[in-house]
Amino acid sequence: MSAPGGGLIGSPAPRRKNRELLTGEGTYVADIRLEGQVYARVVRSPSAHARLLGVDTSEALRVGGVVAVITADDIDDIRIPIRLPFAESPEANAVLQAPLAADVVRYVGEPVAVVVADDPYVAEDAAELVSIDLDELEPVLDPANSTESSQPLVHESFGSNTIGRLAYRYGDIDAAFARADVVVRRRLRVHRLAAAPMETRGLAADYDPGSGVLTVWGGAKVKHFTRALLSRVLGLELTDVRVIEVEVGGGFGTRGEPYPEDILIPLLARRLERPVQWIEDRWEHMVATNHAREQEHDFELAAGADGRMLGFRVRGWCDHGAYVRTQGLLPVVLPMVHLPGPYEWPAFSMDLDAVLTNRTPVGTYRGPGMTEATFVRERMVDILAAELEMEPADLRRRNLIPAESMPFSFMPGPGSGAVMPIMYQGGDFVTAFDQMLDGAGYDRMRVEQRQARADGQHAGVGIAAYIEFAAVGPFEEVEVIGGAGNVVVRAGVGSLGQGVETALAQIAAELLDVPLSGVTVEFHDTAEVPQGFGSFASRSTVLAGNAIAAAVDEMKAKAAPLLGCGPGDVEFRDGTATAPGDRSVGLGDIGPTRGRFEKEGLTASFGGAVCSVSVNPADGRARVDRFALAHDVGRAVNPRLLRGQLAGAAAQGIGGALFEEVAYDEHGQPLSVTFADYMMPTAAELPDVEVTIIEHGSGSNPLGIKGGGEAGMVGSLGAVANGVADAVGDGAEVLTSSVSSARLWHALHRPRRA
Amino acid sequence: MKPPPFAYAAAGTLDEAVALLDEAGEDAKLLAGGQSLLPLLAFRLARPSHLIDIGGVEGLDILEEQDGSLCVGALVRHATLERADLSGGWQALREAASLIGHLPIRVRGTFGGSLSHADPAGELGVVAAAFDAEIVLRSLRGVRTVPARDFFLAPLTTAADPDEVLVEARFPTPGTGFRSVFEEFSPRVGDFAYASVAAGCRLATDGLARDVRIALGSVGPTPVRARDAEQALSGSFLDDTAIVECARLAAETCHPDAGDWHADGTYRKALVSHLVERALRRLGAGP
């Protein structure tokens, strides 16, 4: 293939659709109005754990305008499957969720019935009249002791609240601890968070009995998987299911996975032969859509007196909530592969349990697993630094995997289970780490910290370094169709507002030498885009971008005979394929061309965050005064969009550290179901996020791209917690990822440990 | 669409509002800015039979001094109060208004709505308590005046009867040299405060504090006056010792009990002490 350089790849082109979206002209799923449309309202469990003795729909059915009310009795006994083969296990498959609860409800918010009416007001009124007869059971609420025998079972038939234990052994861990001069041990907790995109979920579905085609609007992220699932559970031909993506107001990993409603609404549309729309409200969103992050880790870190980190042992409990959903065991798999991070450990030993509780199921949220693991490890590194009285940046630098050791792997040793091996293809972590510190002005931050302390303020600086695994395969396929003066790219990824269509258009425009405005990227409709894996794991630009490159190579191969030259002699110039001697052929004459990019494994990239924090001990308030991050994206296709992605993710992360928490009471009732209680940060609480983009290239794909959509999140919880810990010094120990003012005040005013 | 069914009527005049409310019976609610009522309706936590909309009633947005009191009409928007040209004695009222929610909320939300809603975190009720405001209620039965200390009965519960419209509150004009401030702690800008303080006093020419007023919010079912703290400070200098002691006494006065999951009672008491201290230091620092 040609070696693309300069030009459009790497240019800060404005995001497509900015104008439509900012002027209110975008079409979101709630904007869809179809002839004869009816409205669904989901009736949800008010209890965290109870036997479901009966559901009485008779009163609701008597309400004028009600079209249908369904319960589990009215649908097939199905389970929503795990979407990713590597996140499956027989145990996980035993606790999948049915679209409607049949015998037991296992979390507040679990769907029990659906009311459909010809008016959304009526649907809400009638939904209140569905009477649910419950026999209350004790809920399981604490992941770390969910496995104790005194605890009730979330799934009685499964017989345990542990649905998997992952073991990973590397090196001689006993020897590492035996020769350690220092061992630090802590129990660290990551609190439960929700992605909470500004647009809640929603669906519209329409079944045309004439053609037999079911059309579903509102699915994004994994359209082709959703299509296959609907085809299977509804007994329709794959080609008779169309999933269409409309504008999306934020995904962050949670939106767009197939949830119970993604089965129920299409099923109702087909059964009623009327278009059905369902729009999730915020209360529903906070109980129905995947939560994330909650886990606890007992972590022991062994080190030499010189600061060489010799090994770690970790025993952890990763909450999956009441059911395993489409992302399977990722809530335990991803923390595990990210716990070692960028350091050259001689040995480690990890045992992580996947556990169940009677709360909303857990899935992936931007920077999944890696954000949690980075908090745990980086907090422990700072605790070690304090113990050794070493400068935290120096301690990290001393232990980073050196560039000459690349590629590097921690191959699982004896005693490991079936785990994904941890491998880093390349990178220069030490240089990148120093680029991050330089970009942040780390030395100046420390000087300012000393000045602030001299003035009696509680000022801290926090660092977190991480590895992000992203850009997961297995493949992405695109079609490139050239015409006179324009090019259409059809790709099976999704737009969640991240600007992927802009980045893909830049790649196609550069490789084909056409103006950016001449490239249209189509990804909205499964009827037009036959295959695709979706948008998650910071994969879209990497996978689809390289598929475009493959399609362009294929176009050269197809143009060569037309031009009477070899493929290597074909060059694209100004919208035509040219050969030496001024021969040329229009892109439209080459015909549609497919390109496929297959990718094994995950691409590791290095990054980190540095922040300065001030804490007021009188009221417990922590402020992040500065936040700087660095991330190796291999190659920035669009630095403007990338900065936006990185800064936005960092803002979410800072909010997660300072304000946001999904809380439950002792009965398993959710407490954070509004934006008054689930406190997202506003601009007033956030610093400017300073971004350093590192372009170390990637050998794993021809364009040299790595993931970038999530990375701003990864170091956030760890860096903020370390900054807060540094600010309060010996005054309090920071052992949870939430540093809310109340938590911090209590930590500061707790009777001191001996 | 979220609210449960209700009947709706808009009043053009105060007489009409009073009549409509009387006719609708005890499950009716008045609607003005809607900034508290509409979320309650959306969650179906409130199920009024009728909404009587007083948003268009003339003459309820009075904001002026009359007969030795500042009259604040029920329909005065928080944003208006926040920007009003109120002299030093009323500064707490302006500051409190500026801390309510976010600007779009303050543009719509009304003074009468805030008092009537009687959320323990409501800023204006705390100022009303501090200033011994008189709350004017009107119904077909007539007009009556309820002092702030008797108006707030419990969270979301006031002494107003179901047929009464809150017309205005009257804040007695304090003596010359009186100054007041408002302080609160909320996790984010615009959040419900975990604790709030309205404080005021007059520093006499001898430098001693007189007419000390301290009221606390978010730390009990209703706004609470910290009378022990007021008395302790009265007649003393606003020096460090007096301020710290006064703050301690104020924290002792309040009983936030368990608080809530965001902020428990112990933390809220600590915030009270911190906020009272901050408020008094501002008063001591002069205008």
Side-chain angles (χ1 to χ4, degrees), chain A residues 490-578:
Chain A
R490 290 181 169 165
V493 294
S495 173
L496 305 160
Q498 79 276 50
V500 66
E501 60 269 61
T502 310
L504 295 183
Q506 285 176 260
I507 292 169
E510 166 152 341
L511 298 182
L512 293 170
D513 195 28
V514 295
L516 187 55
S517 58
V519 181
T520 308
V521 180
E522 292 180 353
F523 51 84
H524 298 91
D525 189 343
T526 57
E528 287 171 10
V529 182
Q531 287 206 75
F533 224 71
S535 281
F536 52 93
S538 300
R539 70 188 295 279
S540 304
T541 305
V542 180
L543 274 288
N546 281 290
I548 290 171
V552 169
D553 280 349
E554 181 59 22
M555 284 176 89
K556 284 185 182 175
K558 287 167 82 170
L562 302 175
L563 293 164
C565 67
D569 293 327
V570 178
E571 270 187 44
F572 292 105
R573 217 177 298 149
D574 204 13
T576 59
T578 65

Side-chain angles (χ1 to χ4, degrees), chain A residues 687-726:
Chain A
D688 281 338
V689 175
E690 302 155 46
V691 172
T692 300
I693 295 173
I694 296 168
E695 298 184 88
H696 198 276
S698 169
S700 71
N701 63 81
L703 292 175
I705 314 170
K706 300 177 186 176
E710 303 171 86
M713 174 74 82
V714 183
S716 57
L717 295 183
V720 172
N722 279 339
V724 168
D726 190 36

